Amino acid sequence: MQRRTVLKGGVSLLAAAGAPMVARAQAPKSIRIGYAVSLSGPYAPGAQSTTWSQYKLWAKDVNDAGGIFLKKHDRKVPIELIDYDDRSQIEEAIRLVERLILNDKVDLVLPPWGTATNLATAPVFNKHEYPAIHYTASAMRVRQLGPRWPYSFWALVQPDNGTEPLAAMCAQLKKEGKIKGRIAIMHVADQLGVEMATAMVDACKKAAVEVVYNKSYPLGVSDLQPQIREVMALEPDAFFCFSYPTDTFMVTEQAQVVGFSPPIFYTGVGTPFPAYVAKFGAKKNGVLLYGAVDTTAPGQKEYIERHKAMFNRGVEIGSIGTYGTLQILQKAIEQVGEIDRKKIRDAIASGTFETIADVYTFKDQVHQTAWAVGQWQGDEVVGIYPADKRGAKPLMFPKPKW
Amino acid sequence: MTAEPLLAIRGLRKSFGGLQAVRGVDLDVADGAIVGLIGPNGSGKTTVLNLVTGEIAADGGSVRLAGQEMIGLPAFRVCRSRIARTFQLVRILPGMTTRENVMVGRLFGAEPTTPARARDEVGALLECVGLAARADQAGSQLTYIDQKRVELARALATRPRVLLLDEWLAGLNPSELQIGIALIRRLRDEGVTIVMIEHVMEAIRALCDHVVVMSAGALIASGAPDAVLSDPEVARVYLGEDDA
Amino acid sequence: MVLFEAILSGVLVGGMYGLIALGLNLQYGIARMMNLAYGETLMGGAFTAFWFLTLWRIDPLASLLFSVPVAFCGNWLIYRYLLTPLVRRAANRDVLEADTILVTFGLLFVFQGVALVQWGGEYRGYTYLAVPVHVLGATVALNRVLAFVAAVALALALYWLLRATRLGGALRAIAIDPVAAQLVAIDVPRLSALAFAAGGAIMAVAGTLVSMFLSFNASIGIVYTLKALIVVIMGGVGRMLGCLAAGLILGVAEALGAYLVDPGLTLAINFALFLLVLLVRPQGLFSRG
């Protein structure tokens, strides 16, 4: 311990004296990466399966391979994770990210879980110039924040380009005479639900399809049947529900009970979850959903097996996507060849990254061509829109009756 | 007072923090007697009752009912051993009717019985305390005297051998007081032994065979009512504020 | 027709609210313990039903034979060994209330943490009796009807128990005044423990029924604790039919508000009703005195 301190002191003295050759020889023992994720409280379930488990799996995968290769030191350096629980409290998450940077002096910090927490901690990342690729965040605000927060990258589909393909799809089907083009929208009264619905209404206006119903319901609602009945009475041929897991399950089950089965049926977060599969079995076939991954992406099958081996449970697209962002980070570090956060940031901003989820490129720090719409086809969630992406499959229309 | 006492209290002690509320009280109550417990406010009378019924745990001493130790038993067991009480501030169950209040005592007291049988007996008890007409009124709607009657009936329903009355006669008007005194006397005649805390001297004189006086947690006098009440020391303690 | 169906839906949801509140009413109204870990029993019941069905293909209703006794014993142990010592230690009711809230809050995190580690955080759900039944021309799901029937049956049974039996008389006396109750020879600690345990058992039933139509995960408990608390306070602490009625009023108000005004308002309606009751009848809608 003491020897190391002396060595360190010596190294920095030499470095200060302008002897970079000596410093280069001193490769770090590990790359220290910290994060604060909700392991208790209401965010814990989502954070654990989508975010925390991916961080753990990635670190194991990297270290099993010997570490991340740093050109500058000409060797692989393993990862050391420092983790905190933000207890689902946003102020706590902010404090912990700051603590990781200032007290623990970690090399890199991974983002937390959830739109609100990501947006709230982003200023801390930017203030200390720590690059972060935020995955579990979708909000219109990120479009305006790009220039102000140069170190933040947004990998998920955002509300506007998440809904534009849906409106375009309806317009196209209407033109082909396959639907009358009557659209019903339900959404959870939460930021994501509201923004998706607003963006959807705008997109429908532009695409000239009629919105016959657009109402919200509160988070934690215990019955949606009256609302579904109201929607049913309007005889829409496309139904979009921008929902969270509990209401995704509820709206799907209750639509089945009352026999509401329009040819286009879309639900939000939770639709690709293993529990959804368990609950609805073959009835899930043809349901459209929020986001997707490229099922043909190289390495995805192996990843699913490693995930199963480590956690003994299935994956959902969110976990694949999160793992993808960790691969981006790893590739950017290897490209730079050292832990230089400014250079890593620039590498992420300008590169194109092949991952197990998607091919990522960032323009204005947002992944503009993110997967917007997926669909259950058989036992697989396939990517549908944007239709020009690699791995995109044609839309299954109409959705089979329940 | 030569017979074996029904209730024998020996060396009863209780402190609350630094305050010695009851300091070594000895008291014998003969079977069939009415014993008056008097003394200024805060002298520890109610605490003695609370200790006897097991509501609060004693620091030391013993309370024997017909030779059986009560100290250490939980309150409900003391009650089943046939010691019942009423409270200085009435404690009926306001959400229940008069009949239900008394039923509870009959159902769980010393000789538990079925609801159907209890119902008849409770009717007789209500008759006895003069509440038959208000049997189905909610406890919260009764007048103060009637609430006191409910409490007495409920205590009696548990079939006590010893009944502890905590200022049961307080707050009654003169005619109610006469009825109350007659009622207590009748209970004694039916075989219930009574210990009563009371400030109404008229009632003490009319009812008690024996009076004990408490001051600052200790017994300071004991004897026949007339003798005790004329004791100058008792008068000084009792009327202390006035004399000073 | 849609209006009738909305009311019917509200009635069914209201029955579920009533059901989850019944157990809390036993625990808080009779045993006088504000148990913040109350909803964790529901979570346990839901997971039991889920695992029995997915692992062993055992009918969720049959899982009650396991979860109800376990919940009863578990809650009894909690009352006896975790909460009773607090009663002895506490100087007065306020201290006791604060202590219980702290202890059960801690318990909430323990249960939730164990569930999270054991079963992971993801949402669970299964399909059971999700078949339409027709009631006077309206369509409702059989699983929700079942929960409603169970709620009404349990509320009526509890009401009868409290009103017409010897045990019920004792429980009511304890609910009103535990000190007076022990002085009419009622074994207050034992019967309080019984009421507390029975409250837990009811919550296991609620968890099993709710899991048939709502998805759940390891952290769902607190949501139901809060809902139950609102219903109990609205209906009147210790009042079983009041509890059911308050649940129904809430359910129907939510459904009607959603249908007639806006679905986004159901939560607001919920809390507005709650506040109104607190202001106008703080003792609860169905309490005497």
Side-chain angles (χ1 to χ4, degrees):
Chain A
M1 201 58 199
Q2 266 186 350
R3 224 187 76 202
R4 268 198 54 200
T5 320
V6 173
L7 257 176
K8 253 191 192 166
V11 169
S12 41
L13 262 179
L14 282 170
M21 295 300 287
V22 184
R24 187 173 296 162
Q26 295 300 323
K29 204 173 90 229
S30 65
I31 301 172
R32 300 176 71 242
I33 299 181
Y35 56 82
V37 167
S38 312
L39 295 176
S40 56
Y43 295 170
Q48 203 190 38
S49 71
T50 309
T51 302
W52 177 85
S53 53
Q54 306 315 307
Y55 292 174
K56 289 284 181 198
L57 177 57
W58 175 66
K60 181 177 181 297
D61 288 348
V62 167
N63 289 341
D64 284 353
I68 296 181
F69 182 74
L70 297 183
K71 251 187 326 228
K72 187 177 172 190
H73 308 291
D74 193 27
R75 65 199 284 194
K76 284 183 170 180
V77 179
I79 295 173
E80 184 193 336
L81 291 182
I82 293 108
D83 61 350
Y84 289 120
D85 172 11
D86 67 26
R87 303 193 313 250
S88 302
Q89 290 168 15
I90 289 176
E91 313 78 64
E92 185 74 358
I94 295 172
R95 210 178 58 74
L96 289 172
V97 170
E98 196 126 54
R99 181 195 165 113
L100 282 163
I101 295 171
L102 296 178
N103 294 25
D104 300 321
K105 299 194 175 16
V106 295
D107 295 310
L108 290 163
V109 179
L110 301 175
W113 180 88
T115 298
T117 322
N118 274 291
L119 285 174
T121 51
V124 185
F125 283 92
N126 282 280
K127 183 173 133 202
H128 298 285
E129 303 185 337
Y130 271 62
I133 307 163
H134 303 275
Y135 184 78
T136 54
S138 179
M140 293 309 292
R141 253 177 84 200
V142 307
R143 299 244 176 253
Q144 290 109 51
L145 293 173
R148 263 170 54 201
W149 294 347
Y151 281 80
S152 292
F153 296 89
W154 309 92
L156 196 62
V157 64
Q158 302 304 319
D160 47 3
N161 49 9
T163 50
E164 275 153 17
L166 293 172
M169 168 187 77
C170 292
Q172 180 64 26
L173 289 169
K174 188 182 168 190
K175 210 166 77 185
E176 292 168 11
K178 290 179 176 163
I179 60 173
K180 282 174 281 176
R182 293 168 62 80
I183 312 251
I185 300 168
M186 275 168 60
H187 63 92
V188 62
D190 191 82
Q191 189 180 349
L192 181 62
V194 172
E195 289 196 357
M196 293 285 286
T198 311
M200 182 67 185
V201 170
D202 286 349
C204 286
K205 217 173 278 167
K206 277 184 212 144
V209 280
E210 185 193 0
V211 175
V212 296
Y213 183 95
N214 175 25
K215 279 185 185 168
S216 71
Y217 55 83
L219 191 62
V221 65
S222 33
D223 186 12
L224 287 170
Q225 188 174 318
Q227 221 181 326
I228 295 172
R229 276 294 193 194
E230 218 183 321
V231 170
M232 243 178 123
L234 297 168
E235 296 181 352
D237 38 27
F239 174 71
F240 299 92
C241 187
F242 301 110
S243 50
Y244 277 146
T246 1
D247 21 310
T248 297
F249 286 53
M250 195 189 302
V251 82
T252 309
E253 176 167 323
Q254 295 198 314
Q256 291 173 6
V257 167
V258 300
F260 176 51
S261 189
I264 299 279
F265 191 92
Y266 171 104
T267 46
V269 184
T271 315
F273 285 6
Y276 189 93
V277 181
K279 192 166 164 70
F280 299 115
K283 284 183 176 167
K284 68 183 181 298
N285 196 22
V287 172
L288 290 166
L289 55 100
Y290 172 61
V293 292
D294 175 0
T295 48
T296 64
Q300 196 181 97
K301 298 247 156 10
E302 294 79 358
Y303 155 83
I304 292 171
E305 274 158 30
R306 290 198 307 279
H307 188 282
K308 176 100 187 139
M310 188 158 174
F311 301 111
N312 191 29
R313 61 166 185 259
V315 296
E316 34 109 358
I317 54 176
S319 46
I320 305 176
T322 302
Y323 192 91
T325 61
L326 298 166
Q327 290 181 301
I328 301 175
L329 183 66
Q330 180 177 357
K331 286 179 185 193
I333 296 171
E334 282 173 344
Q335 224 172 302
V336 171
E338 62 177 318
I339 302 301
D340 179 324
R341 288 181 287 270
K342 172 81 177 71
K343 286 184 192 163
I344 293 172
R345 184 252 160 225
D346 292 343
I348 298 171
S350 58
T352 297
F353 301 92
E354 171 81 63
T355 74
I356 59 157
D358 193 2
V359 179
Y360 284 96
T361 48
F362 293 96
K363 185 169 167 281
D364 300 330
Q365 288 133 251
V366 178
H367 181 35
Q368 306 288 0
T369 57
W371 282 105
V373 182
Q375 185 175 36
W376 276 110
Q377 293 189 359
D379 286 325
E380 213 177 32
V381 172
V382 297
I384 307 291
Y385 299 116
D388 54 358
K389 281 177 83 79
R390 187 190 72 190
K393 297 264 165 60
L395 172 74
M396 175 201 287
F397 179 89
K399 180 186 82 63
K401 292 274 171 199
W402 296 123
Chain B
M1 297 296 289
T2 48
E4 176 72 14
L6 176 64
L7 184 71
I9 301 174
R10 290 286 173 276
L12 197 59
R13 284 187 291 113
K14 179 69 189 178
S15 300
F16 296 108
L19 174 78
Q20 281 190 292
V22 177
R23 39 178 103 194
V25 165
D26 295 337
L27 177 65
D28 283 345
V29 181
D31 196 357
I34 298 183
V35 171
L37 181 54
I38 65 172
N41 288 328
S43 59
K45 307 181 299 288
T46 296
T47 306
V48 169
L49 254 52
N50 289 340
L51 293 170
V52 170
T53 57
E55 238 167 299
I56 55 179
D59 295 339
S62 101
V63 172
R64 284 169 180 274
L65 178 75
Q68 192 199 346
E69 182 60 58
M70 297 287 121
I71 293 295
L73 292 184
F76 77 93
R77 290 213 178 281
V78 173
C79 181
R80 276 184 205 165
S81 309
R82 296 175 183 263
I83 297 181
R85 75 169 291 181
T86 68
F87 293 88
Q88 190 177 348
L89 301 167
V90 281
R91 266 194 121 129
I92 60 161
L93 304 166
M96 295 181 163
T97 64
T98 302
R99 186 192 304 280
E100 285 174 330
N101 260 282
V102 182
M103 286 269 284
V104 167
R106 186 64 197 92
L107 287 173
F108 295 93
E111 290 162 23
T113 179
T114 60
R117 207 172 300 163
R119 220 178 152 73
D120 301 336
E121 292 180 32
V122 164
L125 257 177
L126 291 177
E127 198 81 51
C128 163
V129 298
L131 273 176
R134 296 186 180 75
D136 295 310
Q137 271 184 26
S140 52
Q141 289 166 358
L142 295 174
T143 59
Y144 185 66
I145 169 83
D146 282 345
Q147 293 196 359
K148 291 203 143 204
R149 284 175 162 150
V150 170
E151 212 184 17
L152 181 64
R154 189 180 66 196
L156 291 172
T158 67
R159 304 254 163 124
R161 292 185 73 181
V162 176
L163 177 62
L164 311 175
L165 301 176
D166 196 348
E167 298 193 33
W168 192 75
L169 295 168
L172 304 189
N173 66 35
S175 64
E176 288 170 343
L177 184 64
Q178 291 315 314
I179 298 171
I181 289 174
L183 185 56
I184 294 174
R185 187 174 289 133
R186 203 167 95 214
L187 293 178
R188 192 259 305 272
D189 294 344
E190 285 169 10
V192 182
T193 301
I194 292 168
V195 176
M196 53 192 287
I197 296 178
E198 202 49 75
H199 287 302
V200 182
M201 290 308 151
E202 187 189 344
I204 298 279
R205 285 207 175 83
L207 287 167
C208 296
D209 312 299
H210 192 84
V211 173
V212 292
V213 185
M214 275 187 84
S215 174
L219 290 190
I220 57 160
S222 162
D226 288 334
V228 169
L229 292 177
S230 55
D231 182 334
E233 170 70 5
V234 172
R236 196 187 64 75
V237 167
Y238 229 101
L239 309 168
E241 302 95 6
D242 295 7
D243 278 7
Chain C
M1 197 62 230
V2 177
L3 177 68
F4 171 67
E5 201 168 271
I7 294 173
L8 190 63
S9 283
V11 167
L12 295 186
V13 169
M16 180 192 89
Y17 290 167
L19 179 63
I20 56 171
L22 278 178
L24 188 72
N25 218 341
L26 285 176
Q27 294 197 338
Y28 185 56
I30 293 175
R32 299 193 164 222
M33 289 293 175
M34 179 35 69
N35 178 11
L36 289 185
Y38 174 65
E40 307 316 301
T41 311
L42 178 138
M43 185 264 291
F47 268 101
T48 307
F50 175 79
W51 288 122
F52 272 51
L53 183 70
T54 48
L55 294 180
W56 303 303
R57 299 268 123 218
I58 293 173
D59 191 281
L61 287 176
S63 79
L64 286 171
L65 294 176
F66 174 79
S67 59
V68 167
V70 169
F72 185 90
C73 296
N75 276 272
W76 186 83
L77 289 172
I78 288 170
Y79 185 84
R80 183 70 189 73
Y81 292 102
L82 232 63
L83 301 181
T84 319
L86 299 181
V87 179
R88 257 179 254 132
R89 222 186 54 188
N92 57 49
R93 262 212 76 75
D94 291 339
V95 175
L96 177 62
E97 192 117 280
D99 283 356
T100 0
I101 285 174
L102 283 177
V103 166
T104 55
F105 195 53
L107 213 54
L108 183 165
F109 278 102
V110 171
F111 285 134
Q112 190 181 311
V114 168
L116 214 50
V117 170
Q118 280 299 308
W119 302 321
E122 62 261 58
Y123 279 95
R124 311 278 183 177
Y126 57 89
T127 301
Y128 182 76
L129 298 182
V131 291
V133 284
H134 302 284
V135 181
L136 302 173
T139 310
V140 287
L142 184 55
N143 46 27
R144 286 182 184 251
V145 175
L146 185 69
F148 174 78
V149 170
V152 174
L154 273 171
L156 290 175
L158 279 175
Y159 178 79
W160 173 81
L161 180 101
L162 290 180
R163 288 283 149 185
T165 68
R166 182 169 177 268
L167 175 67
L171 291 175
R172 282 169 64 211
I174 293 172
I176 295 167
D177 187 345
V179 174
Q182 64 176 347
L183 293 165
V184 288
I186 292 171
D187 187 345
V188 176
R190 199 170 65 93
L191 291 184
S192 295
L194 180 76
F196 192 88
I202 286 179
M203 203 50 165
V205 175
T208 307
L209 294 171
V210 164
S211 71
M212 292 173 187
F213 54 89
L214 293 178
S215 55
F216 53 92
N217 63 27
S219 59
I220 207 76
I222 186 73
V223 175
Y224 289 94
T225 307
L226 291 178
K227 198 69 154 192
L229 197 58
I230 289 178
V231 177
V232 166
I233 290 171
M234 276 183 67
V237 175
R239 310 208 73 86
M240 299 304 155
L241 288 188
C243 200
L244 182 66
L248 291 175
I249 289 173
L250 259 189
V252 172
E254 279 183 14
L256 277 184
Y259 176 65
L260 298 174
V261 194
D262 188 279
L265 280 179
T266 51
L267 212 61
I269 289 169
N270 214 310
F271 282 104
L273 264 179
F274 181 53
L275 279 178
L276 193 71
V277 171
L278 279 187
L279 289 173
V280 181
R281 277 186 75 84
Q283 73 275 37
L285 286 176
F286 302 94
S287 273
R288 274 183 255 158

